[in-house]
Amino acid sequence: MKKIKHLLVLLFLLLSTATGYAQNDQDYIVEKPTVTIEHLYKNITCSNQKKFLEEQGFKYDRMLKVEQTNAYIYSLEDDNDVSIFLYCYKSEALHMSFNMAEDVFTEAKNTTIKDREFKKIKQTSEDTIFTKGAYAYIFSNKSHSIGIRVKTRDDN
């Protein structure tokens, strides 16, 4: 549990690492931020979210009613700068976003721009949307958040 917390904290602090970074004195690897975001999004459901995210080092903060969805908010126990917003409709996780400090967000966005696996499909003054595999990533400059959702036909 402690190792997972350390991994998550290090992940968000070392977002500029593009290909992975092995710690010499540790027995784990810090990967690209999108790898961890995908892992969380693939494995979360709206019925397992509380237990699953707490196992990953996040603590439940509150629930908001947003339009027709429920938005569950979690934050890293040891870091108030990183929060997860999970948007659920019925039992399906529609969208997940990670809010973070501006400098960490900028590093993550710059790393993604340089990664050839990502295809930029849209850019506005507030958002930049990339696709990779089955997912769309939304970088919101206004809220310093990275969102993930399943790619739709409009994302091609």
Side-chain angles (χ1 to χ4, degrees):
M1 180 70 163
K2 202 96 160 125
K3 191 178 276 192
I4 291 172
K5 278 198 235 180
H6 289 261
L7 176 63
L8 288 169
V9 171
L10 283 173
L11 173 73
F12 289 110
L13 294 176
L14 300 171
L15 289 173
S16 61
T17 306
T19 58
Y21 173 71
Q23 295 274 348
N24 291 338
D25 57 344
Q26 302 290 335
D27 59 350
Y28 55 86
I29 295 175
V30 178
E31 299 172 321
K32 292 186 246 184
T34 52
V35 171
T36 298
I37 290 170
E38 274 181 34
H39 168 75
L40 292 174
Y41 187 69
K42 282 179 190 177
N43 291 293
I44 200 163
T45 65
C46 292
S47 54
N48 79 351
Q49 40 105 3
K50 188 171 188 332
K51 181 179 181 208
F52 177 74
L53 288 171
E54 286 177 353
E55 288 172 353
Q56 304 301 310
F58 289 88
K59 65 178 178 173
Y60 178 77
D61 190 350
R62 64 190 182 280
M63 194 273 281
L64 301 171
K65 195 74 169 162
V66 180
E67 296 173 11
Q68 295 178 332
T69 66
N70 292 325
Y72 299 93
I73 303 171
Y74 291 84
S75 58
L76 274 177
E77 287 181 297
D78 300 330
D79 185 357
N80 293 330
D81 290 339
V82 177
S83 297
I84 292 180
F85 288 70
L86 173 65
Y87 299 91
C88 294
Y89 179 71
K90 298 184 181 175
S91 62
E92 185 180 356
L94 299 177
H95 177 78
M96 179 186 284
S97 66
F98 292 75
N99 289 31
M100 57 201 71
E102 182 178 1
D103 58 334
V104 177
F105 168 80
T106 302
E107 286 185 46
K109 184 176 173 185
N110 290 340
T111 300
T112 302
I113 288 170
K114 294 174 188 174
D115 190 332
R116 292 181 186 207
E117 290 184 79
F118 288 86
K119 175 183 168 192
K120 186 179 356 178
I121 60 166
K122 184 177 179 183
Q123 181 161 355
T124 66
S125 60
E126 292 186 10
D127 297 326
T128 306
I129 301 174
F130 297 90
T131 59
K132 178 183 153 233
Y135 301 102
Y137 293 86
I138 303 95
F139 286 77
S140 174
N141 298 318
K142 187 175 181 179
S143 65
H144 305 119
S145 67
I146 302 172
I148 184 172
R149 62 175 165 75
V150 173
K151 187 168 69 172
T152 65
R153 276 186 272 146
D154 297 334
D155 295 328
N156 292 321

